[in-house]
Amino acid sequence: MSLSKDQVQHIAMLARLKLTDDEYAESVEKLSRIVDFVHQLSQADTSDVVPMAHPLDAAQRLRPDVVTETIERDRFQENAAAVSHGLYLVPKVIE
Amino acid sequence: MSDTSQELHAQSMTELADGLDAGEFTSVDVTRSLLDRIGELDAKLNALVTVTAHEALAAASRADQARAAGNGGPLNGLPIIHKDIFCTRGVKTTCGSRMLNNFISPYDATVVEKLADAGAVVLGKANMDEFAMGSSNETSYFGPVRNPWDLECSPGGSSGGSAAAVAARLAPAATGTDTGGSIRQPAALTGTVGIKPTYGRVSRYGMIAFASSLDQAGVITRTAEDAARLLGVMAGFDERDSTSIDRPVPDYSGAINEPVKGLRVGIVRQHFDEGLDPQCGIRVKEAIAALESLGATAVEVDLPNLDLSVPTYYVVAPAECSSNLSRFDGVRFGHRAENAEDLLDLYCRSRGEGFGDEVKRRIMTGTYVLSAGYYDAYYLKAQQVRHLIADDFKKAFSDVDVIAGPTAPSPAFRLGEKIDDPITMYLNDIYTIGANLAGLPGMSVPCGFVDDLPVGLHLVGAHFAEETLLRFAHQYQQHTDWHKRCPEMFK
């Protein structure tokens, strides 16, 4: 089962990845092989099998809805490429 | 002290602890000796991304003071290396990626915090496959790690730096993470001990996420005794990890001394089929015979859906990876592309430039299997098959205490040999992936050599049976000396 270049371009856009032309060519070939490989799952008989949600069947733990974290914005923003007045800067979104 | 210091690198963590207690040497002696060794030898291996010499010596000095005052935790003054997937406050945490090449973590992972609280001294951060996606350490942005047993060979991955460092006696122990075999396979390929605990046993907080339903932290050492000591510190409930299990931590170091007489060892016939290097198969069978000579009984068990574990993994893990790695957007942290035209261009180019080939491939595989029209055929189907695989194990563990077999299909392979063929590379994890899918603890123990390259015995237990695995491994190591063999170049 082979993927087309259009399909790979669509997947890359959904994944927010810009690829070079060489990367597209390689991705079409290798992703097709991976999809082929995982396609063997279709042969497994899974009628009446519940999809696994958690390896230990544990339920999601909840905590009381109270504030536990402190704001350390300045420290966290040290890792950002562009900040100003406590805000993260991105290219203009609204004209 | 010069005689002793020459041999410090050869000692296990437990031996070092005894020497510190007896006042034969100090933690500063140990730390300095290992840092010197790293400086001298790591250029051959590329096992470390960052060496934290200054912080290590300061921590060692504090540990020595605590010891002198009669204080100090269970790992006081003992050296360790962290896989560079664990966030370490104030220290670069790269996850083997260009994306995080400039990331200084503002906080410590729980594993890092617990080991530091126990007094451990961190020598540095270990190289790894990018975002833990790889089985050869060749996907690292910082270049491949080399295997101390043969520098032309891969040490395995993704915890390849951790395993190579421990095998080369740069440290007695290193942390690792295991999503499909990333602790156990490199342990096997480097002749070290590696344990991946039960899912939820060790906190994932501050461990950079790859596939959240499979990821688990563990440790690589040279002895099961050291693994037990470290796991006792690392394990335990953490409210900051939503899948952490609230369950008491047993006395692993005590449990390893129990004999294995009367325990039942399951052998899976398919593990010894044509996919396995025949010489490796012989070593593994000899190891199982050794367990029998210690009084354990070997019986055959069946895991009928074993063949489906790799394809199941390569749906579930990429799906979760595509979701987890969506946080890297070039805005709050990580690599950011220059001169972006607009916000979409900023996202796409920051990610396109920041991630390497294998990471992009897995993000796209995951995006595809989760996309409209394909979800039921791939993701839902894989989660159903995952249930079948987990049920197979459950059935097997109603009859046996442990399943024993090979950790990897062959000894270490040459760098460059498999990197262009993702499927061949993925099949390297065929024996280890099942434990991750079912959330079970697994362990690799050195069990001999093929052509001067180490072979690993793989042990899998029922949920929370880490004590049983460590007990088998320790008892086996009491009767064998494979773990004492050291690569010639690193003696």
Side-chain angles (χ1 to χ4, degrees), chain B residues 1-15:
Chain B
M1 284 283 184
S2 60
D3 282 0
T4 316
S5 66
Q6 278 174 7
E7 291 170 356
L8 288 176
H9 66 267
Q11 300 191 24
S12 72
M13 199 168 243
T14 303
E15 288 165 341

Side-chain angles (χ1 to χ4, degrees), chain B residues 108-123:
Chain B
D108 275 334
T110 296
V111 163
V112 170
E113 191 179 274
K114 282 187 157 199
L115 289 168
D117 287 350
V121 171
V122 181
L123 302 175

Side-chain angles (χ1 to χ4, degrees), chain B residues 163-443:
Chain B
V166 173
R169 276 65 177 166
L170 305 184
T175 52
T177 60
D178 191 314
T179 306
S182 280
I183 288 175
R184 293 161 287 157
Q185 182 256 17
L189 270 45
T190 58
T192 52
V193 166
I195 184 163
K196 175 206 97 74
T198 305
Y199 181 75
R201 180 74 283 190
V202 175
S203 171
R204 293 186 295 112
Y205 178 78
M207 187 176 117
I208 296 170
F210 160 16
S212 302
S213 79
L214 305 164
D215 294 344
Q216 179 59 197
V219 70
I220 293 175
T221 57
R222 293 191 292 269
T223 67
E225 188 178 33
D226 283 0
R229 178 184 279 258
L230 285 160
L231 191 58
V233 171
M234 291 163 68
F237 177 66
D238 181 10
E239 64 180 16
R240 295 177 296 186
D241 170 1
S242 66
T243 56
S244 174
I245 302 292
D246 194 357
R247 187 180 163 114
V249 178
D251 173 17
Y252 298 120
S253 293
I256 61 173
N257 296 313
E258 298 293 319
V260 297
K261 192 170 164 47
L263 297 186
R264 289 167 71 80
V265 180
I267 314 297
V268 182
R269 193 181 35 78
Q270 300 101 305
H271 279 167
F272 296 89
D273 282 352
E274 72 274 17
L276 178 65
D277 174 288
Q279 294 297 313
C280 284
I282 292 170
R283 294 290 93 81
V284 171
K285 283 182 175 161
E286 287 166 357
I288 292 166
L291 299 179
E292 288 184 288
S293 73
L294 296 173
T297 307
V299 294
E300 207 167 272
V301 292
D302 195 21
L303 297 176
N305 294 291
L306 182 76
D307 284 353
L308 294 173
S309 60
V310 181
T312 300
Y313 178 86
Y314 278 96
V315 171
V316 175
E320 295 182 11
C321 131
S322 74
S323 167
N324 272 324
L325 270 60
S326 65
R327 71 189 52 159
F328 297 100
D329 57 2
V331 176
R332 292 155 302 150
F333 45 77
H335 176 75
R336 178 180 176 111
E338 301 280 347
N339 305 317
E341 285 169 21
D342 52 30
L343 191 56
L344 185 64
D345 188 46
L346 176 73
Y347 292 153
C348 293
R349 283 210 288 123
S350 296
R351 291 164 62 78
E353 294 166 8
F355 294 135
D357 291 345
E358 181 62 23
V359 171
K360 283 188 249 193
R361 199 174 297 138
R362 298 216 194 171
I363 290 174
M364 287 194 288
T365 306
T367 304
Y368 175 72
V369 299
L370 291 176
S371 61
Y374 298 101
Y375 177 88
D376 284 4
Y378 291 108
Y379 189 72
L380 198 72
K381 184 81 181 177
Q383 291 288 50
Q384 287 175 309
V385 176
R386 192 176 172 185
H387 221 151
L388 294 177
I389 293 167
D391 286 345
D392 287 349
F393 276 108
K394 201 172 184 176
K395 197 169 156 221
F397 286 120
S398 66
D399 184 34
V400 298
D401 298 286
V402 70
I403 293 175
T407 309
S410 70
F413 46 91
R414 296 176 82 76
L415 289 165
E417 188 180 319
K418 297 186 181 184
I419 192 70
D420 292 326
D421 181 358
I423 305 296
T424 310
M425 188 70 92
Y426 294 173
L427 287 170
N428 222 269
D429 294 331
I430 186 158
Y431 306 122
T432 48
I433 273 175
N436 300 81
L437 292 172
L440 302 166
M443 186 167 185

Side-chain angles (χ1 to χ4, degrees), chain B residues 132-168:
Chain B
M133 298 174 201
S135 307
S136 68
N137 228 290
E138 290 168 289
T139 73
S140 170
Y141 176 63
F142 304 97
V145 176
R146 292 175 180 276
N147 191 318
W149 292 95
D150 180 343
L151 298 180
E152 297 303 309
C153 286
S154 162
S158 67
S159 310
S162 300
V166 173

Side-chain angles (χ1 to χ4, degrees), chain A residues 1-2 6 10 13-14 16-18 21 24 31-32 42 47 49 54 59 63 68 70 73 78 86 92:
Chain A
M1 207 178 105
S2 129
D6 282 355
H10 176 63
M13 177 45 69
L14 289 175
R16 299 291 184 264
L17 288 170
K18 187 175 174 70
D21 286 344
Y24 269 119
L31 287 178
S32 296
S42 65
S47 39
V49 179
H54 188 287
R63 64 164 176 82
T68 56
T70 51
R73 188 172 62 194
E78 284 171 12
K92 193 184 256 186

